[in-house]
Amino acid sequence: AEHLGVAHAIAVSSGTAALHLAFLGAGIGPGDEVIVPAMTFVATANAVRYCGGPPVFADICGEKDFGIDPESVARSITPRTKAVCAVHYAGYAASVEALAALCAEHGLALIEDAAHSPDATPVGSARKLGAWGQSGAFSFFSNKVLSCGEGGLLATDDEVIAEAARRRRSHALTTGTWDRHRGHALGYDVVDLGFNYRIDEMRAALLQARLGGLEEDIASRRRLVRRYRERLATVAGIDTPYSDAQVEFSAGYIMPTTIADAGTRDTLRRILIEDYEVQTSLLYPSIADFTEYRRFDIPELPRTDHVARTQMTLPLFPHMTDEEQDWVLESLEKGVSAAVAAG
C-alpha cells in the first residue's frame, strides 16, 4: 500500500481473484455491464461474468497503443453500464486520465487491470498505475514483473471495498484460525458469500523479499526494451508500439512488436523456435475470437482485430544478457527474410 500510495492493499490468491473482488466492490451484479478491452487476457472478461454481468468489448487505440480507447468506451456506454476496466498492456499506462474523467461524468466505477504494471505511471506522473481508479488489480503469477508463482492484490482507497475484500477472500468468516488461536473468539460467523482467495504465507514472504528489488528489475527491463527498440528500428517489416518516452515510465513487462505482413507471422514464429530456439508469444488473441465468447453480441473492433493478427512478443526478462538479446535480434532478422521468402 505504501509503495502504490493507496490506503489499502489486500493480498489474494491470484490476479483473477483481485479482479473478481474489484468488480464485486463496484457493485457489479446480474445484468450490469462492464466495458473492457478485447485485447487482454480472458480473465479480465471472465471476472465480470463471475459477478453475473456481461462484459462489453471496446476497441483499443491502435497499433502504437494497445490500451482501451476512451472514445470507443464512450460509444459503448448504455444505461446498464456500471464500470469500465482499463488494462495497462505490457506495463504501459492506458489513458487513465481520460477514462477517469469519462467515468466521473457518467457515474461509473473505473477498475484498473494492472497485472502488467506494478511500478509504472503515466508519462510525467508520479501516481502509480492501480491507484487511479476505484480499485486496481495486480498479478504475481510466475511470468509477471513481480512474481511468486501465483498470487494477486487488490489496491483501493475505499474503506468499504477494502473491508469487503478482506472478508470475502476468506469465505466471509468473521474470524480466522489465527484470531481464534490468539483468543479473539471461540468461534466464527459467516456474513457474506465468500471465496477461498487467500494468499499463503510462503508466497507472501517471497513477495516481501522481492519487493525491495522491484525497481532494479524494472530498470533492467527498460534498458533491454530501449536496446530492442533501437535495433528493431532498422529491421524491415517489424514495428514497435508505444514510444521511447513511454518506456521510461513503464514496467517493461513484455516486448511487443507488430509484423507488417500478417500472413508471415506464424511462419516467422515457427522459424524462430525451430531454427534458432527463440520462443515468442501472442499477447493476446482477441477475446472476441474465442469459442466461449462468440455467442456474445460483440461489435466490430477493427484495431483490436488488426493488432491481434500482427502482434508478437519477444523474449524479455531482467537478467537477460546482451549476448542473449543479440541472438534474438540476429535470429529475428534472418527469420523475417526466411518467412518472406517462404511466402
Side-chain angles (χ1 to χ4, degrees):
E2 181 180 352
H3 179 84
L4 293 171
V6 296
H8 306 280
I10 298 96
V12 292
S13 56
S14 69
T16 306
L19 281 168
H20 185 196
L21 292 173
F23 290 136
L24 287 173
I28 305 305
D32 294 329
E33 295 177 349
V34 179
I35 300 172
V36 304
M39 178 60 65
T40 183
F41 187 54
V42 70
T44 311
N46 283 351
V48 179
R49 296 176 64 193
Y50 298 161
C51 300
V56 174
F57 295 103
D59 213 347
I60 60 173
C61 292
E63 283 190 278
K64 286 296 184 180
D65 182 348
F66 295 178
I68 193 169
D69 177 19
E71 293 184 4
S72 181
V73 170
R75 292 193 296 270
S76 304
I77 294 172
T78 75
R80 295 181 299 278
T81 306
K82 198 157 188 177
V84 175
C85 185
V87 176
H88 303 304
Y89 182 93
Y92 295 88
S95 303
V96 282
E97 296 98 331
L99 291 168
L102 183 64
C103 287
E105 178 185 350
H106 291 273
L108 308 175
L110 174 61
I111 306 299
E112 295 175 78
D113 183 337
H116 298 183
S117 51
D119 198 44
T121 68
V123 173
S125 174
R127 188 176 178 184
K128 304 286 188 185
L129 298 181
W132 288 78
Q134 184 185 83
S135 299
F138 293 84
S139 172
F140 306 132
F141 184 60
S142 58
N143 66 357
K144 294 299 189 292
V145 176
L146 180 61
S147 64
C148 66
E150 185 64 277
L153 182 138
L154 183 145
T156 185
D157 285 323
D158 190 302
E159 180 75 35
V160 174
I161 291 173
E163 178 56 34
R166 289 190 179 96
R167 183 174 65 246
R168 282 169 160 163
R169 70 175 169 179
S170 189
H171 296 290
L173 306 181
T174 53
T175 64
T177 52
W178 182 241
D179 296 312
R180 294 190 290 279
H181 172 74
R182 292 184 295 173
H184 288 189
L186 294 177
Y188 62 85
D189 191 9
V190 176
V191 295
D192 203 342
L193 176 62
F195 311 93
N196 184 2
Y197 281 174
R198 298 178 301 272
I199 194 168
D200 65 66
E201 287 81 356
M202 290 182 290
R203 286 178 173 81
L206 178 56
L207 286 167
Q208 288 278 18
R210 295 205 63 210
L211 184 58
L214 176 62
E215 292 181 357
E216 183 180 350
D217 276 2
I218 290 177
S220 296
R221 289 173 176 271
R222 288 172 179 167
R223 185 189 73 83
L224 290 163
V225 169
R226 289 194 298 269
R227 200 165 182 268
Y228 261 135
R229 294 176 65 89
E230 182 179 356
R231 291 279 296 275
L232 290 172
T234 63
V235 179
I238 304 290
D239 197 9
T240 54
Y242 302 100
S243 68
D244 293 341
Q246 287 173 290
V247 172
E248 303 312 309
F249 294 86
S250 79
Y253 171 50
I254 56 170
M255 181 60 218
T257 67
T258 53
I259 313 302
D261 184 351
T264 65
R265 183 190 64 179
D266 292 345
T267 301
L268 172 59
R269 296 188 69 215
R270 284 194 296 271
I271 291 171
L272 288 173
I273 192 66
E274 293 173 2
D275 294 355
Y276 302 103
E277 297 185 336
V278 172
Q279 180 179 328
T280 58
S281 300
L282 302 181
L283 269 71
Y284 297 95
S286 171
I287 293 177
D289 291 336
F290 293 143
T291 300
E292 170 63 17
Y293 278 88
R294 287 176 188 160
R295 57 192 176 88
F296 281 71
D297 183 17
I298 298 176
E300 292 187 4
L301 306 169
R303 296 188 292 275
T304 298
D305 293 341
H306 175 72
V307 169
R309 291 193 305 270
T310 59
Q311 55 85 17
M312 178 182 79
T313 65
L314 301 177
L316 178 66
F317 44 95
H319 53 282
M320 186 180 202
T321 66
D322 288 355
E323 290 75 20
E324 289 170 331
Q325 190 178 36
D326 287 342
W327 175 259
V328 173
L329 286 159
E330 291 163 9
S331 302
L332 183 62
E333 290 177 2
K334 297 172 184 176
V336 169
S337 298
V340 171

